[in-house]
Amino acid sequence: MQNILVILDKPKHEQVALERALELAKKSGAALHLVSVVYEPVVSISLLAGSILNISGEMKNARSQWLQELQQQHTLPAGSTAEVVWHHDIPFWTLEYLDANDCDLVVKTAQKQFGRGGFGSIDWRMIESLPTPLWLAVSTHWVKRERIVAALDPAVDNPLHVALNHRVLHLGGTLSQILEAELESVACVPVPSEVADLAEFREQAGALLQAVDKVIADSGITCSRTHFVTGKPAAEVNRVVDRNKARAILVGRGVRKGPKGFVLGNTAERILGRANTDVLIVP
């Protein structure tokens, strides 16, 4: 991991994304590019131009001063840069930046809604469109363990899903080494509780578990433990993560053909919406 783009929080907020990025950079040697986005919609109203002529310049100058102070408070790794960007659309600007620059990871604080899960529209647009892994960081009160959980798709008879599982595992393996964390995996089969106890289902589930284990083995990544659960994936996957107080969960972005290929599947959306910890989305 060499280059990390950090979308900074507004000055009045806790800089959660920066904290995550600094930890990654310290342990990996990656360079950071800090970006503070500022914009005031009123400047687009031409009839008010005379009364607000200097507002954009004043806002950018104030934010630049804050960014300089922020850099003085933290020791950035060699090669790191920082800039203030005047732009009305963070996801659009990020896509343009990624198109023009080499970047291994984008880190941003999640826009948690009402403190009970769910992401804001900016986050969802970035989740659905970024070609680079996205780390959405949240501030939680519990003491997290050095553990990362990779959520795997149990549809291992589909080559596209297997390839996505491998990408999730490879990123999980990289981050677990950098952060000196354990890597675990979880696969959830969405079956009704009424059939979960049937002997036939148990036999078939055993074969599926072996298939999931083979996917992990073929990836070349070692997981300290694989959780194989049944039920509603959003609930069960997050239950595994919460019970183990994992610091992050990796979720692959849904594999679809055509325009829908850029949209998460319903299962992944539900998992993300109920997550209580950091989430990494793997395209």
Side-chain angles (χ1 to χ4, degrees):
M1 189 167 292
Q2 298 180 333
N3 298 291
I4 300 174
L5 172 64
V6 186
I7 309 297
L8 294 171
D9 299 286
K10 292 182 179 180
K12 63 181 180 180
H13 295 152
E14 181 183 3
Q15 298 298 318
V16 181
L18 179 58
E19 292 177 5
R20 300 291 189 277
L22 286 171
E23 180 183 7
L24 286 169
K26 180 180 179 180
K27 295 181 177 180
S28 68
L32 303 180
H33 182 59
L34 310 184
V35 176
S36 182
V37 181
V38 59
Y39 186 73
E40 174 51 61
V42 73
V43 301
S44 64
I45 303 176
S46 58
L47 294 177
L48 297 177
S51 61
I52 59 171
L53 184 62
N54 297 321
I55 188 171
S56 61
E58 292 176 358
M59 291 179 66
K60 289 172 66 176
N61 289 336
R63 187 63 62 86
S64 295
Q65 182 177 350
W66 170 80
L67 185 55
Q68 291 178 1
E69 294 173 353
L70 186 69
Q71 293 178 79
Q72 294 173 358
Q73 297 171 11
H74 302 279
T75 302
L76 300 182
S80 295
T81 56
E83 67 173 321
V84 173
V85 172
W86 180 270
H87 206 286
H88 68 285
D89 193 320
I90 293 176
F92 185 83
W93 180 89
T94 304
L95 283 171
E96 287 191 325
Y97 176 87
L98 295 176
D99 187 54
N101 298 273
D102 291 331
C103 185
D104 302 298
L105 181 68
V106 177
V107 184
K108 179 184 178 297
T109 301
Q111 290 181 303
K112 279 293 187 178
Q113 297 176 333
F114 312 116
R116 297 185 59 187
F119 293 92
S121 60
I122 291 177
D123 290 348
W124 276 122
R125 289 178 55 207
M126 296 179 73
I127 287 170
E128 293 171 350
S129 62
L130 294 195
T132 300
L134 171 65
W135 184 318
L136 291 174
V138 299
S139 180
T140 54
H141 299 293
W142 64 56
V143 177
K144 296 181 180 180
R145 297 179 183 176
E146 295 304 317
R147 181 173 293 140
I148 298 172
V149 177
L152 303 181
D153 192 320
V156 292
D157 55 343
N158 184 321
L160 292 176
H161 289 268
V162 171
L164 180 58
N165 283 337
H166 282 179
R167 293 198 295 274
V168 170
L169 288 164
H170 286 153
L171 181 57
T174 298
L175 292 174
S176 65
Q177 290 183 353
I178 292 174
L179 299 172
E180 298 179 349
E182 286 187 56
L183 176 64
E184 297 184 356
S185 61
V186 56
C188 179
V189 179
V191 297
S193 58
E194 289 79 5
V195 302
D197 292 331
L198 295 179
E200 181 180 358
F201 173 79
R202 287 182 175 178
E203 181 178 347
Q204 293 176 345
L208 179 57
L209 178 57
Q210 292 180 355
V212 171
D213 286 338
K214 185 177 185 305
V215 169
I216 297 173
D218 291 344
S219 73
I221 304 299
T222 300
C223 294
S224 61
R225 181 180 178 185
T226 297
H227 304 268
F228 190 72
V229 294
T230 60
K232 296 181 178 180
E236 298 304 325
V237 169
N238 282 297
R239 184 173 290 117
V240 169
V241 174
D242 292 348
R243 183 172 62 241
N244 289 280
K245 292 181 169 54
R247 66 177 298 163
I249 177 174
L250 283 84
V251 179
R253 196 167 72 202
V255 179
R256 299 179 183 177
K257 295 182 179 180
K260 292 183 178 180
F262 296 98
V263 183
L264 279 170
N266 289 335
T267 297
E269 286 181 4
R270 295 190 184 102
I271 291 173
L272 292 172
R274 296 183 59 166
N276 296 309
T277 187
D278 288 10
V279 176
L280 282 88
I281 297 89
V282 184

